[in-house]
Amino acid sequence: MKSKILFSVLVLPSFVLWLGFSYSLTINHPSGTSDWVVPESAKSVKNPSKATAENIKSGKLLYDKHCKSCHGGGGKGDGTKAKSLTTSCGDFTSKVFSAQTDGAIFYKTREGRTDMPSFKKKIPEVEEVWSMVNYIRTFAPVATKVEEPKPKVVEKKDTTKNEVKKVVVKPVLEKKDSVATAGDSMLTRERSKIEMVLKQYENALNTSDTLAMAGLFTLNGIYIPIQAPTVIGADSIKVSFRKLFKDSKITTKFSIDEIELLGDLAWVRAASKGSHTIFGSTAIIADANRHLIFLKKLKDEWKIYRCMSN
Ligand code: HEC
């Protein structure tokens, strides 16, 4: 009798408590990204801090101090404390995680949930939290890892002249950020790709390379040259440059004044300076031109869509 009472007083309630506890553990926190609802207003908050190397460095210092023990040095959720937690810490390198907005990561860091502590009190300065968001972004693998290209000699066959010429193709280096991040590198990457097209345009002019030049345009590209009729379509553009290169030699250098991205379209305002030698004449004409160029992104490659020079 006595033991029955003891059972119902002590063991039963604690069993019920344990049941409720383990229920809440299994139901409420399977994984952070999928079911952690972040209010729309928090998701859309823009990250006010720039992911500069310096900013990311201070984010790393904070991360190492406050987050690494659970989330791990590489953000994979394998910190020393992680094993003793009932909740998975998530994986900062995963695609699902990276698809979140900076605002959502900021919100989760500040609010916390279950085993994930709230950092509102521990890290009250919001700039510091944003710097951690920028640092966390660096865990995601960078989509384009370009190997440093080496200059190479390629043989180009000009079908009309039936001759093969050797051309040294200079590598055009993509600008590398000191620390590549998934967040800020997207725009930087597109911009440097566009800068690269302009560099190739400059190279094609300087090496009188008709084929390289034609390849820079979209099939339905339009070129509006200086004091000459508009040239429509890649084939006509090829013909027009072939004539230009046959009759003259261009030496030029481009500088970019503006680049603006509008989704899969971009426009560039540029200037070029150099000289133009017409074959058969001794005169070397000093050249200074301005260019308005629209580019279109086709299969992840930027091509010249409209180009007007004057
Ligand atoms: C005591 C361990 C612990 C510490 C310390 C910790 N976290 Fe977490 N964190 C977790 C756990 C566990 C989760 C998953 C929570 C859940 O899903 O309920 C999580 C989830 C997150 C998420 C959401 C992950 C996702 O998949 O969307 C972010 C962002 C995050 N933590 C950032 C941080 C930052 C930044 C710090 C340091 C300032 C930090 N955490 C410190 C344990 C920790």
Side-chain angles (χ1 to χ4, degrees):
M1 185 66 194
K2 211 175 174 188
S3 65
K4 243 188 186 167
I5 292 172
L6 211 72
F7 177 79
S8 52
V9 168
L10 288 175
V11 183
L12 210 64
S14 61
F15 177 70
V16 170
L17 217 102
W18 175 82
L19 253 183
F21 184 58
S22 58
Y23 176 77
S24 79
L25 276 183
T26 45
I27 294 300
N28 288 340
H29 15 104
S31 85
T33 316
S34 55
D35 68 331
W36 192 340
V37 180
V38 176
E40 284 303 321
S41 56
K43 268 189 207 165
S44 58
V45 174
K46 286 265 171 301
N47 185 342
S49 68
K50 269 231 168 89
T52 59
E54 206 176 318
N55 180 272
I56 287 169
K57 204 172 151 193
S58 39
K60 176 177 162 46
L61 287 177
L62 288 160
Y63 178 92
D64 286 351
K65 187 171 167 204
H66 298 284
C67 327
K68 194 177 161 183
S69 57
C70 292
H71 288 283
K76 284 200 153 293
D78 54 0
T80 46
K81 268 198 214 161
K83 279 188 213 93
S84 57
L85 302 175
T86 27
T87 325
S88 147
C89 295
D91 181 355
F92 293 160
T93 69
S94 73
K95 274 196 183 143
V96 194
F97 178 82
S98 300
Q100 299 185 80
T101 62
D102 281 3
I105 298 172
F106 175 88
Y107 173 88
K108 288 180 176 178
T109 304
R110 293 262 294 166
E111 298 298 321
R113 181 176 84 157
T114 61
D115 284 335
M116 162 74 196
S118 160
F119 282 91
K120 265 191 189 146
K121 292 212 178 94
K122 265 185 255 174
I123 310 178
E125 297 292 336
V126 289
E127 298 87 65
E128 297 196 326
V129 179
W130 285 117
S131 73
M132 284 192 293
V133 172
N134 289 334
Y135 177 61
I136 285 174
R137 287 286 191 203
T138 67
F139 293 135
V142 180
T144 47
K145 270 207 173 130
V146 268
E147 267 186 39
E148 218 126 291
K150 291 191 184 86
K152 54 178 177 186
V153 178
V154 291
E155 286 190 345
K156 287 226 164 141
K157 194 167 184 188
D158 192 331
T159 41
T160 51
K161 290 192 209 149
N162 222 3
E163 61 184 32
V164 176
K165 55 177 177 173
K166 288 210 164 126
V167 186
V168 179
V169 181
K170 277 196 206 133
V172 190
L173 292 180
E174 274 196 60
K175 268 192 202 153
K176 284 216 177 98
D177 300 333
S178 45
V179 184
T181 74
D184 80 325
S185 64
M186 222 281 282
L187 277 182
T188 321
R189 215 150 51 207
E190 296 307 326
R191 289 179 76 91
S192 57
K193 274 189 196 165
I194 290 168
E195 284 169 14
M196 197 152 74
V197 173
L198 264 283
K199 195 79 198 151
Q200 286 166 344
Y201 186 78
E202 179 191 287
N203 277 348
L205 284 172
N206 287 329
T207 55
S208 302
D209 192 335
T210 307
L211 294 183
M213 178 59 90
L216 293 175
F217 282 83
T218 64
L219 284 179
N220 59 355
I222 295 180
Y223 175 54
I224 306 170
I226 305 155
Q227 288 180 359
T230 300
V231 189
I232 298 173
D235 283 343
S236 309
I237 290 170
K238 200 188 284 179
V239 171
S240 144
F241 275 103
R242 180 165 293 136
K243 178 155 175 31
L244 178 75
F245 294 150
K246 198 172 144 259
D247 298 342
S248 60
K249 169 85 186 93
I250 293 168
T251 306
T252 193
K253 180 134 191 67
F254 272 74
S255 59
I256 296 173
D257 296 314
E258 280 181 281
I259 296 181
E260 191 168 336
L261 289 157
L262 319 147
D264 282 348
L265 266 181
W267 62 266
V268 178
R269 188 168 65 84
S272 63
K273 256 195 171 143
S275 64
H276 195 170
T277 313
I278 314 276
F279 297 143
S281 106
T282 45
I284 297 175
I285 309 156
D287 240 359
N289 300 310
R290 292 160 297 170
H291 313 268
L292 198 53
I293 302 165
F294 280 81
L295 297 103
K296 215 175 197 180
K297 197 176 173 187
L298 301 171
K299 289 189 204 136
D300 215 39
E301 224 186 330
W302 288 98
K303 295 268 182 191
I304 300 173
Y305 182 48
R306 301 288 183 263
C307 174
M308 180 156 112
S309 307
N310 86 346

